[in-house]
Amino acid sequence: MSAPTWNRREFVRNLALAGSAVTIGGVIVSCDDPTGAPHGAALPKRGGNGAATRYPLRVPPVVSPDGLTLTAAPGTVEIVPGVQTSAWMYNGQLPGPTIQTTSGGPFAIRNVDGLSQPSITHWHGLLTDPDNDGHPHQAVQPGQHYDYALVVNQRAGLHWYHPHPHGHTGEQVYRGLAGAFIVRDSVDTGLPGNPLGLPVGAYELPLIIRDVSIDSRGGFQFSKKSSGFWGNTPLVNGTYMPYLNVNRGVYRFRMLNGCNARVLRLALSNGQAFTLIGNDGGLLDTSATVAELTASPGERFDVLVDCRALASGATVMLRDLDAGWDLLELRGTGVAGAGTLPSGSLSSIPALGSPVRQRAFTFDGMTRINGKVYDMNAIEFSVPFGDVERWRFITNGNGPHPVHVHGVHFQVQSRSGGRGTTYAWERGWKDTVLVNDGETVDVLIRFTAHRGLYVMHCHQLAHEDAGMMANFTVV
Ligand code: C2O
Ligand code: CU
Ligand code: CU
């Protein structure tokens, strides 16, 4: 953890201001006020028993990528009830609409840049050809647009979309430009039969978890320091202090860490474990029972939460153990619901074979890979299409470094130094893996989707913007 010191101070002050209330995530502090005093106007109302007031979880509308216009533009949104916040949003929504399609389906999106700086949208986790990837060199100028056209061809999974213009990604994502992208297939739900019996409809929700700092007038505070932006308030699907009414059933939460820099340690307040069924690249081979999940920016977690025993009026909190934040309150309705936990095989994941070569990448300082700051016009290396390679990600400090590669999903093999182990959520197919201080992570990787130009980079967005990114080609 490398939160800037001012952030830690604010955090401690929040604790003091919150008094006996256990929920501190919802307290808004006004860093722009020289006295440091909070403005009562923006503070959340509290119920008579001292419990924080909570608001219904937003669920973004679902749209098809076939013929969609996605406009990134400034607007206002009510995040704290009664306060209008200026944000940058896709189609006026924070987060953007959930784009959903079935593998094999068409994708024709016009991305309009309605901002006052260059932008381009990247589809994180989609195996697109380079022309449709949203590489930084494709960024368009304000008022211009970029047209994407492809056929989605990959296994089901939760992915996401966000801007990728070099030097501006952190600010644009922070100000609200991000959304979920769900791919379905015949193994996963969404198609007739639902062979695995996974929760559907109201029992399946994306949870985009991110941090933000909101000032006394409802504005987003942001600074570009290369140690990364650490907000003081969590939002889930753009909802401040959210709750979700849950029936006595099994829920499927498709979780994404959409923070600029913050690593989350997710757990349930009652000690109940998650049933982990998938991650970045879709379903795991079999489910895993995990008490907590370490989620770095860009990573996805497909979990089932068993609420069958949750009585009417009982609550369970989804928490971030590291910040001590209450993220989402699950409120039991007592109503009989649907669902069971799957047993046995979920999907088949062939192990990548022996690598034919190895590459090593050092994540140096806060701005470089293998000693070099990103050069948009240079190609640092070429990877033969179809070859299995071992890539080694190494760092000594300045973490967290969530390492992300475009155009591929890889398989995590080992971690030495630091935490010294790999985790259940790192099985199967990944596109982002956390490299903490002192850690070396080995992955097996094979490009089988497309040839051409891609990037790899750190998904701590201040590092990415400062140059911790590299171009490569698949040949
Ligand atoms: Cu989510 Cu290249 O990024
Ligand atoms: Cu990506
Ligand atoms: Cu980094």
Side-chain angles (χ1 to χ4, degrees):
M1 295 268 297
S2 57
T5 50
W6 68 266
N7 202 346
R8 289 195 191 282
R9 280 204 312 274
E10 294 298 341
F11 187 76
V12 168
R13 201 167 66 201
N14 276 350
L15 271 173
L17 290 168
S20 61
V22 289
T23 298
I24 56 168
V27 175
I28 293 180
V29 74
S30 55
C31 307
D32 59 337
D33 182 334
T35 69
H39 293 252
L43 287 172
K45 299 183 188 71
R46 292 185 179 272
N49 59 1
T53 302
R54 292 194 158 266
Y55 305 94
L57 177 74
R58 280 192 68 232
V59 180
V62 176
V63 299
S64 158
D66 189 13
L68 177 68
T69 296
L70 204 53
T71 302
T76 57
V77 59
E78 192 173 298
I79 292 175
V80 176
V83 179
Q84 293 298 316
T85 294
S86 298
W88 299 352
M89 293 174 284
Y90 284 113
N91 294 359
Q93 313 252 355
L94 191 153
T98 298
I99 302 175
Q100 182 171 297
T101 191
T102 299
S103 187
F107 175 121
I109 295 182
R110 167 162 293 189
N111 178 207
V112 179
D113 180 7
L115 305 171
S116 56
Q117 50 182 239
S119 195
I120 187 71
T121 297
H122 166 61
W123 319 97
H124 181 140
L126 287 198
L127 303 177
T128 73
D129 61 280
D131 286 348
N132 287 295
D133 187 49
H135 184 282
H137 79 77
Q138 289 156 343
V140 299
Q141 295 304 311
Q144 306 292 303
H145 63 263
Y146 193 93
D147 287 333
Y148 301 82
L150 63 133
V151 173
V152 176
N153 180 21
Q154 60 188 86
R155 67 203 301 264
L158 167 66
H159 307 299
W160 62 304
Y161 61 97
H162 63 76
H164 218 296
H166 187 47
H168 300 289
T169 296
E171 179 169 21
Q172 293 185 14
V173 171
Y174 176 76
R175 295 198 181 281
L177 292 166
F181 195 121
I182 294 175
V183 177
R184 306 287 192 185
D185 67 13
S186 56
V187 176
D188 202 339
T189 54
L191 290 177
N194 185 14
L196 294 171
L198 296 175
V200 294
Y203 293 88
E204 181 195 17
L205 298 97
L207 300 181
I208 301 181
I209 305 167
R210 58 159 303 185
D211 57 351
V212 71
S213 290
I214 303 176
D215 68 24
S216 56
R217 290 174 297 278
F220 283 176
Q221 296 175 310
F222 183 66
S223 77
K224 275 192 166 180
K225 46 172 37 173
S226 50
S227 52
F229 188 83
W230 300 65
N232 59 21
T233 301
L235 300 178
V236 182
N237 294 349
T239 321
Y240 170 74
M241 309 261 313
Y243 75 88
L244 177 71
N245 284 329
V246 296
N247 296 338
R248 296 176 69 127
V250 176
Y251 283 79
R252 181 182 188 187
F253 294 129
R254 319 287 305 264
M255 302 194 293
L256 158 70
N257 180 340
C259 297
N260 279 46
R262 183 183 292 275
V263 176
L264 304 166
R265 195 150 62 88
L266 302 169
L268 295 168
S269 59
N270 61 352
Q272 188 182 332
F274 300 110
T275 300
L276 178 77
I277 59 169
N279 57 2
D280 306 356
L283 293 172
L284 300 177
D285 51 354
T286 57
S287 65
T289 302
V290 289
E292 57 178 74
L293 294 160
T294 300
S296 71
E299 289 189 287
R300 285 89 75 203
F301 303 84
D302 196 345
V303 302
L304 302 182
V305 175
D306 188 350
C307 298
R308 287 177 294 187
L310 198 63
S312 172
T315 63
V316 177
M317 194 70 77
L318 174 66
R319 307 198 73 230
D320 167 24
L321 300 180
D322 275 351
W325 281 346
D326 290 342
L327 300 173
L328 172 66
E329 184 180 81
L330 305 177
R331 289 186 181 165
T333 62
V335 174
T340 54
L341 297 176
S343 57
S345 164
L346 293 170
S347 75
S348 91
I349 300 190
L352 291 175
S354 305
V356 299
R357 70 185 67 77
Q358 172 166 317
R359 300 175 199 273
F361 303 94
T362 59
F363 291 78
D364 309 316
M366 296 185 281
T367 59
R368 285 163 289 131
I369 297 176
N370 287 348
K372 285 194 67 177
V373 171
Y374 183 57
D375 175 351
M376 208 191 303
N377 300 309
I379 292 172
E380 306 299 342
F381 60 100
S382 296
V383 186
F385 184 89
D387 279 2
V388 177
E389 300 194 344
R390 171 179 283 115
W391 288 16
R392 176 163 288 176
F393 306 132
I394 305 161
T395 197
N396 290 316
N398 302 290
H401 302 289
V403 174
H404 172 51
V405 188
H406 287 209
V408 74
H409 288 116
F410 51 75
Q411 296 183 349
V412 177
Q413 300 299 295
S414 64
R415 176 181 282 107
S416 58
R419 292 169 292 161
T421 188
T422 59
Y423 299 92
W425 53 88
E426 295 176 324
R427 287 163 35 197
W429 294 105
K430 292 283 291 170
D431 60 41
T432 306
V433 66
L434 176 59
V435 183
N436 271 343
D437 290 354
E439 292 183 354
T440 294
V441 174
D442 280 4
V443 307
L444 293 178
I445 192 164
R446 178 174 57 169
F447 291 82
T448 53
H450 303 278
R451 292 179 164 81
L453 177 67
Y454 293 103
V455 283
M456 65 180 295
H457 60 87
C458 179
H459 222 288
Q460 204 278 49
L461 297 179
H463 291 182
E464 172 182 347
D465 280 338
M468 192 171 267
M469 179 149 67
N471 283 339
F472 64 93
T473 52
V474 178
V475 294

